[in-house]
Structures are given as structure tokens and as C-alpha cells.
Amino acid sequence: MSTQEVADQLVALCREGKYEEAYGLYAQDAVSVEMPGFPNEVTEGLDNILKGYADWASNIAEAHGGSVGDPIVVANHFAVPMSTDVTFKDGRRVNMEEISLYQVENGKITKASFHYDPSAFMG
């Protein structure tokens, strides 16, 4: 798949809420990078990325909304603006926007990095 095809498929799956299927676009040795100082700042390997997603999802009590924008593709990278509004089981409500940057090699996502304002998690 081309970078554009991977981007389009990822966006389509995320918009449908099919996040676990979206991880099928990742390479087995993919790397996921969160903002500095956050849990799982660097996660290596698809199995570990999937575990991190499962941990995140298991802490959500209620989803209030979110969005997935259109991808911007440049060479073997693409960026997607996203937002999420959730209440965690501990009662904290987080409403945040982020830009997700992906690197594609051989038709698979090899690196994903997520950029957001960490203060969205405070309070």
C-alpha cells in the first residue's frame, strides 16, 4: 500500500471506531511515541502497543465525542488531527486535541507519534 492508502485506511477505520483493526496497519516492530513524561513514552513492538491501547481503553468510563480529520501526506509520512473527549473511571474528564504523525515503510506504519498539550490531563 502507498502512504496515501495507509493514511486513508487508518482515518476510515478510526472514524468508524475500529481502533483495533487500525492497528493491523502497523508493522510488527512499530514504535509508538507519546509526549515526554507520559506513561509508555516510547513503546516498541505491536504487541506492546496493543497492550498500551487496551490499558488506555479499559480506564475510560464514558466517551463523549471526538473527531478524526483528513490526513496530510508528505512522502512516507502523514499527519492526522484528532480530538477526544472522555471521562476516565477515576472521574477525570479529558477533552484534548492532538496531531498524530505516522511514518510508513513497505506499506505498514513503522512509527506513530502523538503531539498534544499535556495540561489537558491535569486538573
Side-chain angles (χ1 to χ4, degrees):
M1 274 193 291
S2 71
T3 301
Q4 183 71 58
E5 290 169 329
V6 172
D8 291 343
Q9 195 167 1
L10 179 92
V11 165
L13 289 168
C14 289
R15 285 179 177 165
E16 294 173 22
K18 297 179 178 178
Y19 302 108
E20 290 184 32
E21 285 182 45
Y23 285 111
L25 298 169
Y26 281 55
Q28 284 298 316
D29 61 350
V31 175
S32 178
V33 181
E34 293 289 337
M35 294 296 290
F38 272 74
N40 305 313
E41 185 175 330
V42 177
T43 304
E44 297 182 6
L46 181 57
D47 290 343
N48 293 324
I49 293 170
L50 287 168
K51 183 184 180 312
Y53 169 73
D55 290 348
W56 160 268
S58 71
N59 284 308
I60 295 173
E62 185 178 357
H64 308 286
S67 65
V68 179
D70 294 328
I72 298 170
V73 178
V74 178
N76 70 323
H77 288 82
F78 68 96
V80 181
M82 298 183 181
S83 69
T84 188
D85 182 3
V86 297
T87 298
F88 289 101
K89 290 180 179 175
D90 66 6
R92 284 180 307 129
R93 185 167 179 174
V94 174
N95 189 352
M96 63 172 252
E97 296 178 317
E98 69 183 330
I99 187 80
S100 303
L101 179 63
Y102 301 90
Q103 178 177 312
V104 177
E105 295 175 19
N106 301 315
K108 291 285 190 177
I109 294 169
T110 56
K111 184 176 182 182
S113 59
F114 306 98
H115 308 269
Y116 45 86
D117 180 355
S119 70
F121 289 89
M122 312 303 172

Short mmCIF file of all heavy atoms in Angstrom, two decimals, residues 12 31 34 70:
data_model
loop_
_atom_site.label_atom_id
_atom_site.label_comp_id
_atom_site.label_asym_id
_atom_site.label_seq_id
_atom_site.Cartn_x
_atom_site.Cartn_y
_atom_site.Cartn_z
N ALA A 12 -10.27 6.09 7.91
CA ALA A 12 -11.59 5.46 7.77
C ALA A 12 -11.89 4.55 8.96
O ALA A 12 -12.99 4.60 9.53
CB ALA A 12 -11.66 4.68 6.46
N VAL A 31 7.01 1.48 16.42
CA VAL A 31 7.31 2.23 17.63
C VAL A 31 6.23 3.30 17.79
O VAL A 31 5.84 3.96 16.82
CB VAL A 31 8.70 2.89 17.53
CG1 VAL A 31 8.97 3.77 18.74
CG2 VAL A 31 9.78 1.84 17.36
N GLU A 34 4.68 8.84 22.83
CA GLU A 34 3.80 9.80 23.48
C GLU A 34 4.61 11.03 23.88
O GLU A 34 5.83 11.06 23.72
CB GLU A 34 3.15 9.18 24.73
CG GLU A 34 2.18 8.06 24.43
CD GLU A 34 0.88 8.52 23.80
OE1 GLU A 34 0.51 9.69 23.96
OE2 GLU A 34 0.24 7.69 23.15
N ASP A 70 -8.80 14.93 8.21
CA ASP A 70 -8.27 14.39 6.96
C ASP A 70 -6.75 14.32 7.04
O ASP A 70 -6.11 15.23 7.58
CB ASP A 70 -8.68 15.27 5.78
CG ASP A 70 -10.18 15.25 5.54
OD1 ASP A 70 -10.81 14.20 5.81
OD2 ASP A 70 -10.72 16.27 5.10
#
